[in-house]
Amino acid sequence: MLTTFLILTLLTMAIDAIGFKRFIWFISLGYGYSVAGIALAVAIMHFHSLTWATGAMLVLLIFYGCRLATYLLIRELRSQAYAKTVSLDAKNNADYSPMVLVAIWLSCVALYLCQTAPIIFRVQNAADGLIDNMTTAWVGVAIAALGIILEAWADYQKNEAKKINPHRFVDTGLYRIVRCPNYFGEVLLWTGVFICGIGSYHAWWQWLMAVVGYIGIVYIMFSGARRLELRQDRNYGADEAYLRYKKTTPILLPLIPIYSVKNQTWLVG
């Protein structure tokens, strides 16, 4: 187990070091490619111990990480409007001291390892001969797959809507149901990963890592929703249609009447 985590830690550190080139990449390109890299490494190291369920989950994470990071990279390269938004909302590397950048880098590495810990533990413990219940693994795979589909579809719908009217907020398709369907898909994905690991943990620290990773990504999604709300208020706050949409459409979780988080200042990031 220690050897596995040492290899995965070094791999994630190498991939996420891309953030030293541009700060935002710690949590965008570095995030997606780190998740994909971890899943690929686990699949290679423990190929002969994989089940259909664990293999499916690892394939999902490889696809998810590569799709997300590549999508973000293409959007950043092609969209001048997005680049301008990033320059307004995100700080640059020069705004931080080297020690702070290192701390952020290591924190991201730790979070990504904790997020993927459930599938790491399920595969590693199976390789060590520890038998566990596979029912939760398949339930987790199904939920994770749904989350990936929703997130990718939401990204596609937003891109198509912006092609038609780049200066209007998006309230069509999945955005009729929730204002941040891509973030909701992200929450579903990691809910599936967390559920996948249930039944395979054999130590308290394994539970701790899995719980920390899950709570961490849910917190980040709500923080992201808050940043988006503040940005949309800045851009569309004078638009009555946007104000009606905001008051009637949940911000992150469908059917849960949480319409605004902008006043929740504890959601930083």
Side-chain angles (χ1 to χ4, degrees):
M1 182 72 75
L2 182 60
T3 301
T4 295
F5 265 97
L6 177 60
I7 293 172
L8 295 178
T9 298
L10 293 175
L11 174 65
T12 308
M13 290 173 68
I15 295 173
D16 203 46
I18 192 174
F20 287 105
K21 176 69 175 178
R22 188 173 185 186
F23 175 79
I24 192 67
W25 289 351
F26 279 130
I27 55 175
S28 59
L29 307 188
Y31 169 54
Y33 289 133
S34 289
V35 170
I38 290 170
L40 180 60
V42 171
I44 292 172
M45 287 189 292
H46 299 293
F47 180 78
H48 295 293
S49 301
L50 297 181
T51 65
W52 285 105
T54 54
M57 181 62 84
L58 291 173
V59 169
L60 285 175
L61 289 178
I62 293 169
F63 170 79
Y64 157 79
C66 290
R67 186 210 73 85
L68 176 63
T70 304
Y71 166 77
L72 293 174
L73 177 60
I74 293 173
R75 184 177 68 175
E76 187 171 333
L77 293 176
R78 289 183 177 178
S79 174
Q80 293 181 352
Y82 176 75
K84 186 179 295 184
T85 297
V86 170
S87 67
L88 288 173
D89 290 348
K91 294 186 177 180
N92 299 314
N93 293 51
D95 296 321
Y96 299 94
S97 69
M99 289 301 295
V100 171
L101 286 174
V102 169
I104 293 171
W105 170 52
L106 294 178
S107 297
C108 288
V109 169
L111 176 62
Y112 304 157
L113 287 169
C114 286
Q115 283 179 242
T116 53
I119 185 63
I120 296 172
F121 291 138
R122 180 170 282 282
V123 172
Q124 179 68 61
N125 288 337
D128 292 341
L130 301 174
I131 306 301
D132 48 53
N133 183 357
M134 293 304 297
T135 301
T136 55
W138 280 115
V139 171
V141 167
I143 295 173
L146 177 60
I148 291 172
I149 292 170
L150 285 176
E151 183 171 358
W153 189 243
D155 288 339
Y156 172 78
Q157 289 184 332
K158 187 171 186 177
N159 279 342
E160 293 302 300
K162 286 296 184 180
K163 288 178 183 178
I164 298 173
N165 191 343
H167 303 295
R168 189 183 190 279
F169 65 94
V170 180
D171 61 348
T172 56
L174 294 173
Y175 292 83
R176 291 181 181 272
I177 303 171
V178 63
R179 303 210 308 275
C180 299
N182 50 343
Y183 292 171
F184 174 60
E186 185 91 5
V187 171
L188 273 185
L189 162 63
W190 293 108
T191 299
V193 173
F194 179 78
I195 291 174
C196 177
I198 294 176
S200 66
Y201 306 128
H202 291 278
W204 65 268
W205 60 270
Q206 295 182 3
W207 272 104
L208 179 62
M209 282 190 68
V211 170
V212 167
Y214 182 64
I215 292 176
I217 191 60
V218 171
Y219 174 85
I220 288 171
M221 288 302 100
F222 272 97
S223 295
R226 179 175 181 266
R227 287 195 302 273
L228 178 64
E229 182 181 1
L230 291 170
R231 185 164 67 243
Q232 289 185 332
D233 282 359
R234 185 171 66 237
N235 295 336
Y236 312 118
D239 187 336
E240 292 185 4
Y242 166 72
L243 295 177
R244 287 195 300 270
Y245 171 66
K246 177 179 174 179
K247 290 179 180 178
T248 57
T249 308
I251 190 166
L252 182 59
L253 304 176
L255 305 179
I256 305 298
I258 301 175
Y259 300 105
S260 175
V261 291
K262 71 176 184 179
N263 294 325
Q264 304 301 316
T265 55
W266 56 277
L267 291 172
V268 296

